[in-house]
Amino acid sequence: MPSITEENYLKALLRLGNEPLAEGQVGTNELAAYLQVKPSSVHDMLKRLRNRGWINYQKYGKISLNESGRALAVGILRKHRLWETFLHDTLGFSWDEVHEVAEQLEHIQSAKLIDRLDFFLGYPKVDPHGDYIPDSDGHLEPLAAIPINQVETGEVVTLLAVKGNDPTYLQYLSHLEIRIGIEFKLIERVTFDGSLVIEYMGKRQTISRMTAEGLLVSRNT
Amino acid sequence: MPSITEENYLKALLRLGNEPLAEGQVGTNELAAYLQVKPSSVHDMLKRLRNRGWINYQKYGKISLNESGRALAVGILRKHRLWETFLHDTLGFSWDEVHEVAEQLEHIQSAKLIDRLDFFLGYPKVDPHGDYIPDSDGHLEPLAAIPINQVETGEVVTLLAVKGNDPTYLQYLSHLEIRIGIEFKLIERVTFDGSLVIEYMGKRQTISRMTAEGLLVSRNT
DNA sequence: TTTACTTGTTAGACCTGCCTAACTTTACTA
DNA sequence: TAGTAAAGTTAGGCAGGTCTAACAAGTAAA
Ligand SMILES: [Mn+2]
Ligand SMILES: [Mn+2]
Ligand SMILES: [Mn+2]
Ligand SMILES: [Mn+2]
């Protein structure tokens, strides 16, 4: 059974390996930056994770999860997202408050607890940020969504999920009345700085490129 | 903020200090036995807890929590018992399953989570084992109950709480249909080995001294 | 009051997880 | 293709938390 720290490394490898272009391959410095530790610390841990049989790694090579490491990481992600859903739906936390607490709760070891929580919540498919919750068999649906800045002017799209855990970002979206499931029409793209003008709920709003990058949408059929 | 290990030591000091005759005073070996570590490890930790300002302790002397240490310990106990109540009442865990998981959940750091959980559960007064749940101000009602073997023959008493976390003990009680709130009449005391014959729910049952010691009852008015 | 036993402390070691500083390898650019 | 910048590794060290083995204090009985 992995320690809490080991679990956080495994989860980070899953996350970073799923980035577009990453193809499961992650670098030492990248991991260090993401986990807010030094590359030398990462290197120590990588040796341990390899000895424990969870990753593929050799000196100066890229890192990837193997089957058992990926299974562990997906299990932690499942717990994280179920807890976020519990905090939001049952206890009334706002979507910007859930991540931090779920970072702790995801490390509780009890299969029964997670099964019962899943049942209690009605087997939810997505968490409060629109991300898919892995099922109990370790299946994780890939999110078929693109950032809204990759959409053509005039298109109408639906917000499937938001990317990023920064509470101030999520609070800002709430302030703009942007929620999962909302429909946007892309009115205009500002070539100068990549800002977008979007229309939703009968109003027009300009959002910066940075804000737009976190809005993951599907093209409406 | 205490580490998880520090929290477990503080909680143990509260627990052992509340034993009858202990009067807040606890010994090194006693603590070591309770926490399943060696006395030398305890000694190391005691120095740390003293430096952190949570206990009164000097070489070769007895150990006691000070005000701030006690407040921390009571806070952890509150979380432990609220989580046990959640697991039991909301998720349908049996009373022998809740303790182990609550040992983990009690260390989650989030005041809001505990407040909301308390609200969600309807501000429960007692946990699944009949123990009082400290309130959010740190008040912990002392349990006015005695082990059933201190009761006179012929007396009728009510089961207020059970003592001990051993799942097999709790399962055995369930098997005997013994639950919190039940009424017992003490029929007979076996002087040889301290066994008791009790009557409840229309049946007679012999229980060993060991079993009886965990049944905390109140004399009926 | 000396002895024996129990309780508590110290020294030295190990593992986890992190750091800094110095080094090596790889990748890219001139 | 050499030279440099970036990425990655090594050595050595530190704090938390534990251990074993040896030692010191306190306690209680002879
Ligand atoms: Mn999250
Ligand atoms: Mn985490
Ligand atoms: Mn318990
Ligand atoms: Mn605990």
Side-chain angles (χ1 to χ4, degrees):
Chain A
M1 202 149 58
S3 71
I4 290 178
T5 312
E6 286 167 342
E7 289 197 341
N8 284 334
Y9 275 82
L10 293 174
K11 204 177 54 143
L13 285 169
L14 181 68
R15 169 66 117 80
L16 296 176
N18 274 344
E19 285 300 299
L21 312 175
E23 295 181 358
Q25 305 280 290
V26 181
T28 302
N29 288 4
E30 190 185 357
L31 198 49
Y34 182 78
L35 289 171
Q36 314 251 60
V37 296
K38 301 298 166 185
S40 53
S41 307
V42 169
H43 184 258
D44 286 350
M45 182 57 83
L46 291 178
K47 283 191 290 190
R48 293 230 306 278
L49 296 178
R50 183 186 47 201
N51 293 341
R52 301 271 239 141
W54 295 324
I55 65 172
N56 308 117
Y57 169 60
Q58 51 215 32
K59 268 214 284 204
Y60 297 106
K62 290 292 175 187
I63 312 139
S64 62
L65 291 167
N66 64 21
E67 267 316 298
S68 72
R70 201 190 125 86
L72 285 170
V74 170
I76 300 158
L77 198 62
R78 171 173 160 77
K79 291 195 281 183
H80 183 99
R81 291 179 179 170
L82 280 173
W83 279 117
E84 285 191 343
T85 304
F86 170 75
L87 293 170
H88 184 266
D89 294 6
T90 306
L91 297 189
F93 279 57
S94 57
W95 74 347
D96 56 285
E97 297 171 318
V98 298
H99 180 79
E100 185 193 344
V101 183
E103 274 302 310
Q104 299 180 62
L105 288 163
E106 70 188 1
H107 302 292
I108 303 294
Q109 301 290 352
S110 167
K112 181 163 196 165
L113 173 55
I114 287 305
D115 287 353
R116 292 290 176 95
L117 196 62
D118 199 12
F119 169 76
F120 173 76
L121 295 170
Y123 302 108
K125 288 269 177 298
V126 298
D127 78 7
H129 311 108
D131 291 307
Y132 286 116
I133 298 172
D135 68 23
S136 53
D137 299 327
H139 286 283
L140 172 52
E141 195 94 353
L143 189 61
I146 54 173
I148 196 168
N149 21 23
Q150 288 174 28
V151 160
E152 302 297 312
T153 307
E155 272 192 274
V156 175
V157 294
T158 301
L159 182 65
L160 287 190
V162 295
K163 188 173 157 182
N165 305 312
D166 180 358
T168 62
Y169 174 57
L170 296 170
Q171 280 161 21
Y172 175 57
L173 295 183
S174 294
H175 177 247
L176 298 179
E177 296 180 285
I178 292 176
R179 304 181 307 273
I180 301 299
I182 211 171
E183 288 202 344
F184 297 117
K185 182 173 183 182
L186 179 51
I187 304 299
E188 190 190 338
R189 177 190 305 276
V190 181
T191 42
F192 166 58
D193 62 359
S195 295
L196 302 184
V197 180
I198 57 182
E199 192 175 276
Y200 61 99
M201 287 174 64
K203 69 178 175 185
R204 287 195 176 195
Q205 177 69 47
T206 302
I207 58 175
S208 73
R209 199 173 82 93
M210 219 180 127
T211 296
E213 279 170 347
L215 300 177
L216 304 180
V217 302
S218 68
R219 292 189 169 88
N220 286 10
T221 51
Chain B
M1 201 151 55
S3 71
I4 290 178
T5 311
E6 287 166 341
E7 289 196 342
N8 285 334
Y9 274 83
L10 294 174
K11 204 177 52 140
L13 285 169
L14 181 67
R15 169 67 116 80
L16 297 176
N18 274 344
E19 285 300 300
L21 311 176
E23 294 180 359
Q25 305 282 290
V26 183
T28 304
N29 288 4
E30 189 185 356
L31 198 49
Y34 183 79
L35 290 171
Q36 312 250 60
V37 296
K38 301 298 165 186
S40 54
S41 307
V42 169
H43 183 257
D44 285 351
M45 181 58 83
L46 291 177
K47 285 190 291 190
R48 293 232 304 282
L49 295 178
R50 183 186 45 201
N51 292 341
R52 300 272 239 139
W54 295 322
I55 65 172
N56 309 115
Y57 170 60
Q58 52 214 32
K59 271 218 276 201
Y60 298 104
K62 290 291 174 187
I63 312 138
S64 62
L65 291 168
N66 64 20
E67 267 315 299
S68 73
R70 201 190 126 87
L72 285 170
V74 170
I76 298 157
L77 199 62
R78 170 173 159 80
K79 291 195 280 181
H80 183 97
R81 293 180 176 170
L82 281 173
W83 280 117
E84 285 192 342
T85 304
F86 170 75
L87 294 171
H88 184 267
D89 294 5
T90 306
L91 297 190
F93 278 58
S94 56
W95 73 348
D96 56 287
E97 296 171 318
V98 298
H99 179 77
E100 184 193 343
V101 182
E103 273 303 307
Q104 299 179 60
L105 288 162
E106 71 188 2
H107 302 292
I108 302 294
Q109 301 289 352
S110 167
K112 180 163 196 167
L113 173 55
I114 286 305
D115 287 352
R116 292 291 177 96
L117 197 61
D118 199 13
F119 169 76
F120 173 75
L121 295 171
Y123 302 108
K125 288 268 176 300
V126 298
D127 77 8
H129 311 110
D131 291 307
Y132 285 118
I133 298 171
D135 69 22
S136 55
D137 299 328
H139 284 282
L140 171 53
E141 193 94 355
L143 188 59
I146 53 172
I148 196 169
N149 21 21
Q150 289 174 27
V151 160
E152 302 297 314
T153 306
E155 273 193 89
V156 175
V157 294
T158 300
L159 183 65
L160 286 190
V162 295
K163 188 173 156 184
N165 305 311
D166 181 357
T168 63
Y169 175 56
L170 296 170
Q171 280 160 23
Y172 174 57
L173 295 183
S174 295
H175 175 248
L176 298 180
E177 298 180 282
I178 292 176
R179 305 182 306 274
I180 301 299
I182 211 171
E183 288 203 343
F184 297 118
K185 182 173 183 186
L186 179 52
I187 304 299
E188 188 191 339
R189 179 190 305 275
V190 180
T191 42
F192 167 57
D193 62 358
S195 295
L196 301 185
V197 179
I198 56 180
E199 192 175 275
Y200 62 98
M201 287 173 65
K203 68 179 175 186
R204 288 194 176 197
Q205 176 69 47
T206 302
I207 57 174
S208 73
R209 202 172 82 92
M210 218 180 130
T211 297
E213 280 171 345
L215 300 177
L216 304 180
V217 300
S218 69
R219 292 191 168 85
N220 286 12
T221 49

